[in-house]
Amino acid sequence: MAAYIGVLTNNGLISSRSNSAITNTGNSTIGVLSNTGTISGPGGIFNYGRADIGVLTNGTLTNGTLASNALIRGGLYNAGTIGVLTNDGTISGANAVIYNTTSNSAGSIGVLTNNGLITGQTGIHNGGTILTLTNFGTISGSTFGIANFGTIRALNNGVRGTITSSSDAIKSSSGGLGVLTNSGLISGNIDVMNQNQDLNIIGGSGANFGTLSGGLITLSAQRNLNLSGNLILADSVEAPSTGPAPIIIPGAGPLLPLPFLGSIGTLTNSGVLQIGSSNAPATISVIGNYTQTSAGALNVIVTPTASSQMNVTGAATLAGALNYVFAPGTYTPHTYAFLNAGTISGNFTTIN
């Protein structure tokens, strides 16, 4: 028999010593589950089978301030359906904090929004489907910030958002990761090596910049890293098909802007940007501006007949190092034009 709870509100303490504090299973439904207190157990909330939670909220925002006392300890296990999941407090656990899986059932979350803190060994583990994941708070994991083995159609890291891990901030393996929009900070590795699709990252707009730092971006073989919007790129990037290199963007396709950006984006290079593999020049297009800081380096692949190409629709501001990477062959005197931009200012500090 199916059970139904219209609204379940906790302002105090719901706890269990040995099991999940709240279990919703079978054909059962909870219309609205609202927590501004503490839900605590080895498993915080267990939603399983054909069970459904329409709206799950942890904490509430008051004048922009998070509910510091709203806590789900032991995490959330979902193998059912959750329509809307909003965290304005803290969700913590020893292992995977939010574990969304298709084990014997749906494993579906429509809209997941985090304004607070999600922290554990893995912040969010997805083996099912998340239609939209938006983060304005902190998602933190000692092993993974976000581990995706299912489908995340859209992942948005907002202006105040941080996704961080000492290992992989984002890992997407054999699943599907849609467009990644980052106006905040992603600190740690981004590993999509086994995803077999391009990685598309859109930065901020206007005065907002998205930062990628503290790790290595690993692409699938023969796949591209497509960047647009305002981005500070301080990561290294590796494409397995061409062998390791500091930053490789192997594709020749343009980096397409999205209409809602509303302004010209800027790609800022404070790491090492290599265009093409060691023996094969490539062409990349930056729709907007390219800025290379004093800590940045641009590696240009050169063959006896061609070189890498960078096309910038806006302004190119140069500093740092320019490194020529010569492929084997017989060379004769030749002039290579590798950078085309609307305007060019500054100079490379060192040329190797």
Side-chain angles (χ1 to χ4, degrees):
M1 179 180 293
Y4 178 79
I5 298 175
V7 178
L8 194 164
T9 301
N10 176 49
N11 299 315
L13 171 65
I14 301 175
S15 67
S16 172
R17 293 183 178 181
S18 58
N19 297 302
S20 298
I22 296 176
T23 297
N24 188 45
T25 188
N27 292 311
S28 301
T29 298
I30 299 175
V32 177
L33 196 167
S34 176
N35 176 55
T36 55
T38 297
I39 299 173
S40 177
I45 298 174
F46 187 83
N47 190 54
Y48 186 79
R50 291 180 294 277
D52 177 75
I53 298 176
V55 177
L56 194 164
T57 61
N58 182 48
T60 55
L61 284 170
T62 303
N63 296 325
T65 301
L66 294 174
S68 59
N69 61 333
L71 171 65
I72 299 175
R73 182 183 292 117
L76 165 66
Y77 181 97
N78 179 53
T81 300
I82 299 175
V84 177
L85 169 57
T86 302
N87 177 47
D88 292 330
T90 298
I91 304 177
S92 66
N95 299 307
V97 181
I98 295 179
Y99 192 94
N100 187 51
T101 178
T102 57
S103 176
N104 298 320
S105 49
S108 173
I109 299 175
V111 177
L112 195 166
T113 302
N114 177 51
N115 296 306
L117 173 63
I118 298 173
T119 181
Q121 185 180 47
T122 298
I124 297 173
H125 177 111
N126 178 52
T129 299
I130 300 175
L131 298 184
T132 303
L133 196 168
T134 301
N135 177 52
F136 292 106
T138 298
I139 300 173
S140 173
S142 57
T143 303
F144 303 113
I146 297 173
N148 178 47
F149 301 93
T151 299
I152 300 177
R153 294 189 183 176
L155 173 54
N156 308 311
N157 190 45
V159 174
R160 302 179 305 278
T162 297
I163 302 172
T164 182
S165 173
S166 56
S167 181
D168 290 345
I170 298 173
K171 181 178 179 65
S172 187
S173 178
S174 72
L177 178 63
V179 174
L180 169 58
T181 302
N182 178 42
S183 299
L185 170 65
I186 299 176
S187 177
N189 300 327
I190 299 176
D191 183 356
V192 295
M193 181 172 62
N194 297 319
Q195 187 173 265
N196 195 31
Q197 66 183 59
D198 290 355
L199 176 60
N200 301 297
I201 303 177
I202 301 171
S205 61
N208 297 319
F209 282 73
T211 299
L212 308 171
S213 69
L216 176 70
I217 300 176
T218 306
L219 303 174
S220 300
Q222 304 295 333
R223 293 298 183 175
N224 301 332
L225 172 62
N226 298 323
L227 305 174
S228 62
N230 296 341
L231 282 169
I232 298 174
L233 181 61
D235 275 341
S236 297
V237 178
E238 181 176 302
S241 60
T242 57
I247 288 186
I248 302 174
I249 303 181
L255 311 183
L256 299 177
L258 294 185
F260 69 80
L261 288 176
S263 64
I264 294 177
T266 297
L267 170 59
T268 301
N269 176 25
S270 298
V272 181
L273 174 62
Q274 179 167 307
I275 308 171
S277 65
S278 56
N279 296 321
T283 299
I284 63 170
S285 297
V286 178
I287 310 301
N289 304 319
Y290 174 74
T291 298
Q292 182 167 309
T293 70
S294 59
L298 178 65
N299 290 0
V300 175
I301 309 300
V302 180
T303 72
T305 58
S307 72
S308 302
Q309 297 284 319
M310 175 184 281
N311 299 315
V312 180
T313 62
T317 304
L318 306 178
L322 169 64
N323 301 317
Y324 293 111
V325 181
F326 290 94
T330 301
Y331 288 80
T332 58
H334 190 80
T335 299
Y336 299 90
F338 63 86
L339 175 61
N340 299 296
T343 60
I344 299 176
S345 62
N347 290 293
F348 295 109
T349 307
T350 58
I351 299 177
N352 301 307

